Amino acid sequence: MRVVIQRVNHAQVDIDGKTVGKIGKGFLLLVGIKNGDELPVIKKAADKIAKMRIFEDEEGKTNLSLKDVNGEILSVSQFTLMANTKKGNRPSFVDAMRPPRSKELWEDFNQELENDGFHVETGEFGADMQVSLENDGPFTIVLDLWRKNETAKVDNILRKI
């Protein structure tokens, strides 16, 4: 699973000119589900995001969480985050989990965030969406959650580069 976390002043998702999700201050989450991901990975990601302290306190230090600032979440499913660009010029998306399971896990992820007390707006799974936002900072984090054996493979590849 890969989640791009963007701290925003506001963000929205439109489909065919109609706004389907809109938030004020909070996180825009671009969510990619990988083949092999299951509920424990989804729960871990939601928990990590819920506790992430990337908002500034009165001293300008990133000590505040989304809950501390009464922030909202806009969650957008984005299979292209799983792109493999190692070979050629055309990305491969074979590592991205296919529907319907990927949709179920994305919905589970959003539900976990709601269970943590957050207001969660969403895009529409599989739709052609226009996402607009105002980055705050900008402050963007890429959260990668892989199974342990996959992490070891990635580390070995990186050592060879």
Side-chain angles (χ1 to χ4, degrees):
M1 178 174 201
R2 177 172 290 143
V3 182
V4 175
I5 306 163
Q6 294 183 302
R7 188 178 73 183
V8 298
N9 291 321
H10 55 83
Q12 75 180 46
V13 176
D14 297 323
I15 300 173
D16 295 327
K18 181 180 178 233
T19 301
V20 296
K22 183 176 182 177
I23 63 166
K25 182 179 188 131
F27 290 158
L28 169 61
L29 304 178
L30 305 175
V31 183
I33 309 289
K34 184 177 174 64
N35 284 324
D37 285 343
E38 289 299 333
L39 199 51
V41 172
I42 301 304
K43 287 184 175 194
K44 183 176 181 180
D47 185 58
K48 186 100 172 151
I49 290 165
K51 294 176 181 173
M52 192 163 288
R53 299 181 307 159
I54 63 172
F55 290 92
E56 294 177 355
D57 62 17
E58 60 280 348
E59 295 177 11
K61 295 186 180 186
T62 53
N63 281 325
L64 301 178
S65 69
L66 188 62
K67 201 167 277 186
D68 294 329
V69 299
N70 297 313
E72 303 173 287
I73 293 173
L74 177 57
S75 176
V76 177
S77 176
Q78 188 174 346
F79 77 93
T80 60
L81 290 175
M82 295 294 110
N84 182 331
T85 59
K86 287 194 301 190
K87 294 182 182 175
N89 295 319
R90 182 170 179 230
S92 168
F93 301 105
V94 296
D95 291 336
M97 184 181 286
R98 299 190 54 79
R101 185 65 179 141
S102 55
K103 181 179 181 186
E104 293 167 4
L105 288 174
W106 176 63
E107 290 170 345
D108 289 342
F109 172 73
N110 296 330
Q111 187 61 57
E112 288 293 323
L113 292 167
E114 287 181 352
N115 292 346
D116 282 334
F118 296 107
H119 173 74
V120 178
E121 296 271 325
T122 66
E124 183 180 312
F125 188 91
D128 181 21
M129 297 174 273
Q130 289 68 52
V131 180
S132 59
L133 66 135
E134 181 178 285
N135 259 317
D136 179 19
F139 204 117
T140 302
I141 293 176
V142 178
L143 177 64
D144 282 322
L145 293 168
W146 312 108
R147 294 186 309 264
K148 287 184 181 180
N149 63 340
E150 290 180 8
T151 302
K153 288 179 191 175
V154 170
D155 287 345
N156 285 335
I157 291 168
L158 290 175
R159 279 191 213 114
K160 294 176 183 177
I161 295 177

